[in-house]
Amino acid sequence: MNSGAVLTIDFAALAANYRRIRAQVAPAAVAGVVKADGYGLGAIEVARTLMREGCEHLFVALVGEASALIPALDGPASVYVLNGLLPGQEDECLAAGAIPVLNSLDQAQRWAATAARANRRLPAVVQVDTGMARMGMETWEIDAFLADPTFAERLDLRLVMSHLACGDMPQNPSNAQQYARMSALAERFAGVPVALDNSAGSFLPRGHFAMVRAGIAVYGGAPNDAPNPMAPVVALTIPIAQLRTIPAGAGVGYGLTFHTERETRIATIPMGYADGWPRCLGNTGSVFIAGTRVPIVGRVSMDSITLDVTDIAPEHLYPGAPVEILGPHQSIDDVARDAGTISYEILTQLSRRYHRIHLGLPEASTSGASAATTRSPSA
Ligand SMILES: *Cc1c(COP(=O)(O)O)cnc(C)c1O
């Protein structure tokens, strides 16, 4: 499985990003969002790093993610399930010790029934829809939830939350609308802590209620269109597999979609769309060699990509020579822009075939986590 690609994940930078957001939103607490295996970087390692910074709240998307994560944690943290409870998942959620985000009256009823069966109050979060129409209770469901005292008896409501539709567009009027709706709903859920903001919302110039849920900015992605204040967390390099020189007028790759206009030096690297590198970067994206931009030419294949390295000095071109895919010259946001997507998609698709090096990962204090994969920065 070894293409020679090396994905370096800098957990010290991740911790610094967490502290940066905490300073930004204080006195609000900062929960870490570690769904989708910590945006592809390793939920257990990310959680361990954040908990070392004092983070006590973690969000995953699925009950199964919670039941995998919780036994691997080396301390106490509340683990919340954003997608809530699909029918039939109540017992797994209970057994895992996870806290479901109740997104509908139906989910609240099933969790309250689970509490009755378990003969104890169960912790829960209620999500309300303040204007995104994705998840969360609608007005009639909130009314019904608050009107029925059995919910208050059976459920220990830890948080009432909602989610911004346009937090990364600070000027969008929906941000103020959602904030106002959340403020009004907070009064109806008297005494329950409130959380509205994601990474982008954490950078809006207003209050942040009791808690924010930070994902992408912790992982180094830009929270909005302003210059990115976060430290990069990932770097990816891969060696050149093969070099050739082809004449003017030759075609490159599937469909021969690139035609040379001059004698051209082509380098092939052993990664492709099977590694999560978007196929749409064919004839569009870039990589860097010795700090110089190198265009991707031809289509991105499943396991290989062709580069026009004609303008690169020969001493940097040999089989095994390093190519920067992500690093000081190209961020996850740069790649996302070229691919017409968002940094989240680039991160969560990063290949499991890359060799991973963990920098600055705190040692596990129990045997639960994988200390064997840890390397110190000097390694
Ligand atoms: C994924 C998610 C977050 C984290 O969002 P980022 O933009 O990555 O900070 C927060 N809240 C909810 C409900 C989410 O689904």
Side-chain angles (χ1 to χ4, degrees):
M1 288 277 272
N2 198 349
S3 64
V6 176
L7 177 68
T8 306
I9 306 172
D10 184 346
F11 288 93
L14 190 135
N17 288 339
Y18 180 80
R19 292 192 297 268
R20 170 82 175 71
I21 297 165
R22 196 169 52 196
Q24 177 88 19
V25 303
V30 181
V33 180
V34 298
K35 62 196 183 191
D37 197 24
Y39 288 36
L41 302 187
I44 293 169
E45 290 83 358
V46 172
R48 206 198 307 162
T49 303
L50 297 182
M51 287 170 69
R52 211 58 55 97
E53 297 298 322
C55 176
E56 296 172 341
H57 306 275
L58 300 167
F59 283 84
V60 294
L62 308 176
V63 171
E65 290 179 336
S67 46
L69 177 63
I70 290 169
L73 296 178
D74 51 5
S78 298
V79 177
Y80 309 91
V81 179
L82 286 168
N83 284 7
L85 289 172
L86 292 176
Q89 292 184 332
E90 299 83 3
D91 288 347
E92 186 186 351
C93 191
L94 179 66
I99 304 174
V101 174
L102 304 173
N103 288 307
S104 65
L105 193 62
D106 162 62
Q107 294 187 11
Q109 283 160 345
R110 282 187 282 107
W111 194 234
T114 308
R117 267 191 291 119
N119 209 16
R120 60 186 168 99
R121 280 181 101 208
L122 291 179
V125 173
V126 163
Q127 175 154 221
V128 294
D129 179 19
T130 54
M132 187 173 175
R134 185 179 71 168
M135 284 190 191
M137 295 190 190
E138 299 174 39
T139 305
W140 70 268
E141 293 174 292
I142 298 164
D143 294 344
F145 181 87
L146 291 172
D148 183 345
T150 54
F151 289 116
E153 277 161 31
R154 292 183 181 164
L155 303 181
D156 170 16
L157 209 51
R158 301 280 178 88
L159 192 68
V160 57
M161 62 168 268
S162 191
H163 192 46
L164 292 174
C166 304
D168 59 342
M169 296 181 263
Q171 308 308 325
N172 193 297
S174 73
N175 289 316
Q177 258 169 29
Q178 288 194 267
Y179 187 83
R181 286 183 190 146
M182 191 78 242
S183 302
L185 283 164
E187 294 190 10
R188 301 189 63 193
F189 287 84
V192 181
V194 172
L196 174 64
D197 292 328
N198 57 355
S199 296
S202 302
F203 285 83
L204 293 175
R206 53 150 173 74
H208 302 283
F209 297 109
M211 183 198 286
V212 303
R213 302 177 304 271
I216 195 67
V218 172
Y219 300 100
N224 52 39
D225 285 342
N228 187 2
M230 312 317 296
V233 171
V234 292
L236 176 62
T237 60
I238 194 161
I240 291 174
Q242 193 173 6
L243 287 148
R244 56 171 38 79
T245 301
I246 57 176
V252 176
Y254 281 123
L256 303 176
T257 59
F258 179 77
H259 283 268
T260 55
E261 288 175 355
R262 55 177 178 171
E263 187 176 88
T264 299
R265 197 118 168 88
I266 297 286
T268 304
I269 51 174
M271 61 180 281
Y273 63 77
D275 298 298
W277 217 246
R279 187 170 177 275
C280 64
L281 289 176
N283 293 314
T284 299
S286 314
V287 300
F288 284 78
I289 296 178
T292 301
R293 182 184 172 273
V294 169
I296 294 174
V297 292
R299 287 194 183 141
V300 170
S301 298
M302 185 183 293
D303 307 292
S304 59
I305 294 174
T306 35
L307 310 170
D308 180 347
V309 295
T310 314
D311 296 331
I312 300 296
E315 69 260 33
H316 302 302
L317 300 176
Y318 50 91
V323 177
E324 174 190 331
I325 309 297
L326 292 169
H329 301 94
Q330 178 156 270
S331 69
I332 51 177
D333 289 293
D334 293 332
V335 175
R337 180 202 56 228
D338 289 351
T341 182
I342 52 177
S343 58
Y344 306 63
E345 190 172 345
I346 301 301
L347 278 183
T348 53
Q349 300 308 310
L350 286 172
S351 183
R352 297 301 185 264
R353 297 198 290 189
Y354 302 146
H355 177 68
R356 290 177 174 226
I357 292 182
H358 293 161
L359 299 182
L361 183 60
E363 288 300 318
S365 57
T366 69
S367 57
S370 53
T373 60
T374 305
R375 308 249 183 113
S376 72
S378 57

